[in-house]
Amino acid sequence: MTATAIQSIDWDAFSSELSGIEIISDRAQVVKLSHDYYHFSPVLQPLLSDKTGDLVVRPASEAEVLRIAAACVKFKIPLTVRGAGTGNYGQCIPLKGGVILDTSKMNSIRWIKPGLA
Ligand SMILES: Cc1cc2nc3c(=O)[nH]c(=O)nc-3n(C[C@H](O)[C@H](O)[C@H](O)COP(=O)(O)OP(=O)(O)OC[C@H]3O[C@@H](n4cnc5c(N)ncnc54)[C@H](O)[C@@H]3O)c2cc1C
């Protein structure tokens, strides 16, 4: 997807599809939540430092994840999943902008077995 295609997205319409789901559009927060520890690498530093998403969404349930995915398909928006963002190689950095799906609210424990959760 080109930068022009991303710029033509109706973000207000996209956001209204996701009513009830936390959406972060504050630019400083979006930039922070677009990155991981890629800066440890002198090779990746110049390649990824300017890559950011346009919006962050924080679903709290599987149903909300599905709504977000469906809206991204409808509006043809790239979707990047992130956890805590502690990967070292830019795996969670959105290369072509779009939506960052932050899973940090999905933190309930489903089951625990000895040595496993
Ligand atoms: C100082 C430091 C020390 C570290 N030490 C270790 C170590 O000892 N052992 C080790 O294994 N790793 C280590 N790591 C690496 C890092 O902690 C792991 O890669 C960690 O698993 C990343 O998890 P995250 O939730 O932060 O994922 P992110 O960095 O946010 O994402 C990593 C990848 O997983 C995808 N992803 C994230 N959440 C989901 C999800 N819910 N569903 C689908 N895909 C998802 C992302 O799209 C991305 O591709 C270290 C990192 C740092 C910075």
Side-chain angles (χ1 to χ4, degrees):
M1 183 171 291
T2 64
T4 316
I6 277 280
Q7 277 159 16
S8 67
I9 288 165
D10 183 347
W11 289 103
D12 289 338
F14 176 79
S15 297
S16 51
E17 294 259 329
L18 302 181
S19 66
I21 299 176
E22 182 182 353
I23 296 178
I24 299 167
S25 56
D26 172 72
R27 198 60 205 150
Q29 276 284 90
V30 171
V31 170
K32 186 177 169 204
L33 293 169
S34 294
H35 290 156
D36 62 8
Y37 285 82
Y38 75 98
H39 52 81
F40 284 176
S41 161
V43 174
L44 294 176
Q45 231 284 326
L47 296 175
L48 298 177
S49 61
D50 65 340
K51 303 283 186 279
T52 65
D54 295 276
L55 211 62
V56 177
V57 291
R58 277 204 181 125
S61 67
E62 186 177 343
E64 290 188 355
V65 171
L66 293 174
R67 278 179 61 201
I68 293 162
C72 286
V73 170
K74 179 176 170 185
F75 286 81
K76 298 194 183 337
I77 301 175
L79 175 62
T80 304
V81 178
R82 81 175 268 122
T86 61
N88 290 355
Y89 310 104
Q91 303 100 301
C92 69
I93 296 180
L95 298 180
K96 297 189 176 177
V99 168
I100 296 165
L101 191 160
D102 177 334
T103 57
S104 58
K105 261 183 163 175
M106 297 180 69
N107 58 1
S108 63
I109 295 171
R110 304 290 289 274
W111 50 259
I112 297 181
K113 295 175 188 169
L116 293 173

